[in-house]
Amino acid sequence: MEEQKIGSLRFKIDFSQPLYEQILDQVRSAIAKGEIELGAKMPSVRELALELRVNPNTVMRAYQELERDGLTEKRRGQGTYVTSSAERVQLFRTELASKYMDSFMEQMASLGISLSEIQGYLSKKYPNETGGTRLW
């Protein structure tokens, strides 16, 4: 699985996994992390499909979902652009973090690990990290 750079986007496509979900997740992540500028033009559906060697309908489906998320917007005759709303991206980022935390907490609960134990593990694993500092 090699990384492909298409415009300002980077993709790692694993053909054993659903392609639509990979494209969607990787673009969502890039927008949430700020790797793609607000208001930036997205590659056309045809261009992205050609570069990734996937069916254009796969890319179209991912683009439609991004638009439903409010992360992109279509401009008639001009193409698809990343939203220019920093607030919308921050809201999506918060929603995504909450979803990941819920999943993490469910996994820890299934192992019988308490919140205080989780905090202890985090303190040991990342001893130099303080509030607001990224872990990586």
Side-chain angles (χ1 to χ4, degrees):
M1 175 171 53
E2 67 182 55
E3 185 174 273
Q4 291 181 268
K5 186 167 175 16
I6 302 161
S8 60
L9 296 169
R10 295 180 190 276
F11 291 94
K12 288 183 183 176
I13 300 296
D14 177 358
F15 287 95
S16 69
Q17 302 293 320
L19 299 173
Y20 144 80
E21 290 176 6
Q22 291 180 70
I23 293 167
L24 181 59
D25 288 345
Q26 291 178 40
V27 173
R28 280 176 171 163
S29 179
I31 292 171
K33 290 191 284 187
E35 294 176 350
I36 306 172
E37 288 185 38
L38 296 177
K41 187 173 187 337
M42 297 287 292
S44 72
V45 168
R46 187 171 290 153
E47 177 187 358
L48 190 56
L50 186 63
E51 291 288 330
L52 294 177
R53 294 185 291 281
V54 300
N55 188 305
N57 290 332
T58 301
V59 175
M60 177 69 76
R61 186 172 170 203
Y63 273 28
Q64 288 171 339
E65 191 70 27
L66 289 165
E67 191 172 4
R68 275 192 289 274
D69 289 343
L71 296 176
T72 62
E73 52 194 43
K74 280 187 187 176
R75 297 183 189 163
R76 194 171 196 84
Q78 296 180 352
T80 301
Y81 290 79
V82 174
T83 183
S84 55
S85 170
E87 294 81 20
R88 179 63 198 124
V89 172
Q90 184 57 46
L91 178 62
F92 180 79
R93 189 171 190 233
T94 301
E95 291 168 357
L96 196 56
S98 179
K99 178 181 156 187
Y100 290 161
M101 289 299 297
D102 289 346
S103 175
F104 172 75
M105 293 303 288
E106 286 173 15
Q107 290 174 338
M108 294 299 102
S110 74
L111 293 172
I113 297 174
S114 70
L115 182 56
S116 62
E117 287 176 295
I118 292 168
Q119 291 168 331
Y121 291 144
L122 289 172
S123 295
K124 286 177 188 170
K125 180 124 177 112
Y126 305 104
N128 298 325
E129 302 301 326
T130 59
T133 303
R134 288 194 172 154
L135 298 176
W136 39 87

